[in-house]
């Protein structure tokens, strides 16, 4: 057996492109078009670089306190990690150690099956219905855990809090994870259910709503028991994943929540405008509550449109995947960007 | 099976304490006593916070280019991650997929067996000899990989480049990982061997030599084939672990290498002073080439000394572990700090 034979074989994930092209309208990775705010800017300017010689606070206590205050939770109900990808991987490793499969939708965040493979966890993909909706009854079967995004990605569709509560009632022997990466663009967060259901775990991120994709901050909110276990597992192999600057920036962002909510409101208005304009051009789409929309034109090939938009300097996301190969996921940018998008699509459809 | 039964059980790692005590002399986690330098300071001041709304460059190209230039390697021979703990975990996952056990010393970095357990990799701990030295012949046996720190931790002892090359010649079917977290305090790096041995992988860190423990930057250097595989595996489950600010700070640090080398020289001189003073007080120790020393007093209990120093506001590291329970690991701070340490130890021994 050669050393090459001892290397792990994987199918690398292809993230949305990050090309360095001038004047590109980048609507492909669900980034927020607004900057992270004055308080984040000041936090960076005021950061004493000599502190970087020391390891970060391993428990990120100031940041967890700010998150706890914001969500009306105890600090011990808050976990922070290096982006929600790290947090999600850790949740799979920590929480899904049963005999039955973990359940998640067939059309959903593409890393869920990857985390299962990584930690040798059995899983079952549950097909969404033809309207891309989650059917509650499908999640009332033996399982080692349940996870789905709310709103779901890439559809943008939300489920109600009543349905989540009903799922929790029917799954009191498993951890139910609601991935709320996009919750703050019009969905209703399940955070208030945490006090009632110790097996509910919620993930959030600073990347979208708080315009901080560049800093890598992910969050898990849940019962003290589950959060303590997440820290135990993390600390068993990686003591300091969240760096000192990211902690300081996270705290500053929490203090600028009014500004950030105003940006989200602008994104919501721009989303509704974009939906309405694209419907006029014949597009159909689920009713997204996220900072992206998921659109299909019954008479126009999605991949062709993707490539034509790319030629015009507009980058959206196309997935080579069963069931969704005629859809494009389009991030909501500024109103100005979306007007250009609508205009270019109109020209392409006319031609 | 309850949801609690589905949680993973682990023994949490206890990192060196990070207490927030004023005037504490903190010699317990091998941090660098000097600040990371003027260029890092300027990089933070000049960072445009609006860029944080976008995801980081996933390939960290500018930082990898700076590292490649510094080490006379190609960019494709450089991997960067969120601290060397992340890099090491990824190496275990990627490189050690054989049938035989992975080999490492019994006294070494305590996370190696943890990574093996995490990814279900068999391992064999090879006892160091009575002088804490690595015996080359022990590593010439069937294995799925070899890893040890050079200098070793917590002993500080180095092996020669000749010995590493000999090990590589005898292990051409396995990846040999040299963990060079502490190499820049007087050891000889194995980086020049990379061009000759495609199965050699070297890890380094910005935490110690570059005074950037707070920013979480770890590095792997090796053949293009192995580095490409590390990126494939990383990208399969975590696209953006190194944040934008950390990338910018890393580049700035590479540009300030003269200043950083001057700090390392001061640490080396302070280390040799401290060794000499503690020897006068009756301590014995391996000949450390790291930014810490590993000392034992034949007539004085190590744990007792640890606690007495803690009462004086001096924090060093004590390990409850077989073979080394009479040793203390002491980080080399400033000359002023080490003079206080020597003075306090002298008083304790007299009393």
């Amino acid at each position: 057996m050669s050393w090459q034979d001892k290397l792990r074989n994987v199918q690398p994930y292809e993230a949305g492109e990050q090309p360095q092209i001038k004047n590109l309208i980048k609507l492909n990775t669900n980034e927020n078009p607004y900057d992270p705010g004055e308080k984040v800017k000041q936090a960076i300017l005021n950061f004493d670089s000599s502190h970087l010689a020391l390891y970060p606070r391993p428990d990120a206590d100031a940041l967890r306190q700010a998150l706890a205050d914001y969500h009306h939770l105890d600090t011990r109900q808050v976990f922070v990690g290096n982006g929600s990808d790290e947090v999600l991987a850790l949740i799979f490793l920590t929480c899904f150690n049963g005999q039955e499969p973990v359940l998640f939708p067939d059309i959903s965040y593409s890393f869920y099956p990857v985390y299962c493979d990584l930690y040798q966890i059995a899983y079952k993909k549950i097909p969404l219905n033809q309207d891309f909706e989650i059917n509650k009854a499908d999640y009332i079967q033996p399982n080692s855990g349940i996870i789905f995004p709310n709103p779901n990605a890439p559809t943008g569709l939300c489920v109600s809090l009543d349905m989540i509560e009903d799922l929790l009632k029917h799954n009191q022997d498993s951890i139910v994870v609601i991935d709320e990466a996009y919750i703050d663009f019009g969905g209703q967060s399940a955070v208030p259910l945490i006090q009632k259901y110790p097996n509910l775990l919620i993930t959030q991120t600073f990347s979208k709503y708080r315009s901080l994709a560049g800093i890598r901050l992910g969050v898990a909110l849940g019962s003290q028991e589950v959060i303590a276990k997440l820290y135990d597992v993390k600390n068993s192999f990686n003591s300091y994943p969240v760096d000192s600057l990211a902690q300081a920036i996270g705290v500053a962002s929490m203090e600028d929540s009014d500004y950030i909510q105003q940006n989200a409101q602008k994104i919501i208005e721009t989303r509704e405008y974009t939906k309405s304009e694209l419907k006029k051009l014949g597009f159909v789409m689920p009713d997204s509550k996220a900072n992206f929309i998921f659109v299909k034109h019954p008479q126009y090939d999605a991949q062709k449109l993707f490539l034509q938009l790319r030629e015009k300097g507009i980058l959206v996301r196309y997935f080579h995947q069963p069931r969704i190969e005629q859809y494009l996921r389009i991030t909501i940018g500024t109103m100005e960007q979306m007007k250009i998008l609508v205009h270019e699509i109109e020209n392409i459809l006319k031609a």
Side-chain angles (χ1 to χ4, degrees), chain A:
Chain A
M1 197 179 189
S2 71
W3 63 266
Q4 286 93 340
D5 294 329
K6 291 165 184 157
L7 296 174
R8 188 178 177 91
N9 272 315
V10 294
Q11 189 67 37
Y13 172 73
E14 296 212 10
E17 301 172 80
Q18 304 280 9
Q20 304 289 291
I21 301 167
K22 282 268 177 208
N23 301 321
L24 183 78
I25 297 184
K26 194 170 172 307
L27 306 175
N28 70 328
T29 54
N30 297 342
E31 290 151 326
N32 193 311
Y34 302 107
D35 81 60
E38 192 57 31
K39 292 199 175 167
V40 163
K41 186 176 172 182
Q42 290 304 321
I44 295 171
L45 284 172
N46 295 331
F47 191 87
D48 180 351
S49 66
S50 69
H51 288 168
L52 293 179
L54 301 179
Y55 280 98
R57 299 281 300 153
D59 51 2
D61 41 4
L63 177 56
R64 287 167 72 201
Q65 186 64 58
L67 282 157
D69 292 346
Y70 182 84
H71 290 293
H72 309 293
L73 296 170
D74 187 279
T75 316
R76 291 165 293 181
Q77 296 180 293
V78 179
F79 179 95
V80 293
N82 179 246
S84 43
D85 283 339
E86 187 190 68
V87 176
L88 286 166
L90 191 65
I91 287 170
F92 276 73
L93 177 65
T94 304
C95 300
F96 293 159
N97 297 285
Q99 306 299 319
E100 306 291 340
V102 172
L103 310 179
F104 46 80
D106 63 336
I107 298 167
S108 188
Y109 190 44
S110 61
F111 275 179
Y112 298 159
V114 174
Y115 300 139
C116 286
D117 291 340
L118 189 61
Y119 299 123
Q120 304 178 26
I121 296 165
Y123 63 90
K124 196 191 251 185
K125 285 186 180 179
I126 312 278
L128 297 174
N129 75 12
Q130 61 178 9
D131 296 325
F132 297 137
E133 292 163 342
I134 288 176
N135 176 21
K136 187 176 67 184
D138 294 340
Y139 293 83
I140 303 173
Q141 60 170 295
N143 65 73
S144 284
I146 291 172
I147 182 166
F148 57 83
N150 190 43
N152 196 9
T155 65
L157 282 177
C158 268
V159 298
S160 70
L161 272 201
D162 285 347
M163 181 181 137
I164 290 173
E165 186 157 12
D166 212 21
L167 271 182
L168 284 160
K169 283 182 183 158
H170 281 92
N171 286 284
Q172 299 200 26
D173 289 334
S174 293
I175 306 274
V176 176
V177 182
I178 310 295
D179 179 348
E180 294 192 339
Y182 301 101
I183 197 66
D184 294 300
F185 300 101
Q188 200 183 355
S189 172
V191 168
L193 295 177
I194 286 175
Q195 306 298 16
K196 210 166 155 189
Y197 298 95
N199 59 324
L200 169 63
L201 194 56
I202 292 169
T203 58
Q204 296 193 352
T205 174
F206 280 70
S207 297
K208 321 289 183 183
Y209 177 63
R210 294 190 176 273
S211 301
L212 284 170
I215 208 63
R216 318 313 303 128
L217 268 181
V219 178
L221 308 168
S223 62
Q224 287 187 26
E225 192 173 351
V226 176
I227 297 298
K229 188 60 83 166
L230 284 177
Y231 271 108
D232 281 353
V233 174
K234 176 198 81 77
N235 288 333
S236 76
F237 64 90
N238 192 352
S239 309
Y240 308 103
V242 181
D243 75 55
S244 303
L245 258 162
Q247 292 186 31
I249 289 170
V251 170
S253 172
M254 296 308 296
E255 290 166 357
D256 223 352
S257 295
D258 287 346
Y259 161 78
I260 286 156
Q261 180 53 31
Q262 286 162 24
N263 292 339
Q265 196 51 45
K266 283 195 271 184
I267 290 169
I268 290 169
E269 286 161 18
T270 309
R271 177 186 69 208
E272 297 308 316
Y273 161 83
T274 311
K275 279 181 188 172
S276 148
E277 292 298 309
L278 291 182
K279 280 177 188 168
K280 288 183 203 162
L281 297 176
F283 284 87
V284 295
M285 61 198 78
D287 186 28
S288 170
K289 299 287 182 199
N291 70 336
F292 55 82
I293 53 176
F294 195 56
V295 304
K296 175 173 87 162
H297 196 288
Q299 283 91 43
Y300 208 89
D301 182 69
Q303 189 170 20
K304 189 175 164 194
L305 182 55
F306 163 76
L307 292 170
Q308 286 173 307
L309 284 171
R310 201 178 190 291
E311 272 171 33
K312 301 281 182 191
I314 301 176
L315 210 51
V316 301
R317 193 78 192 275
Y318 174 72
F319 300 91
H320 281 280
Q321 272 179 41
R323 296 191 68 184
I324 60 172
E325 71 284 342
Q326 280 308 320
Y327 280 83
L328 295 179
R329 190 193 69 189
I330 303 174
T331 304
I332 302 302
T334 61
M335 185 61 92
E336 190 192 357
Q337 290 175 321
M338 302 319 277
K339 282 184 173 168
I340 296 171
L341 170 86
V342 170
H343 180 70
E344 293 293 351
I345 289 180
E346 198 171 359
N347 285 341
I348 289 168
L349 294 182
K350 271 185 196 159

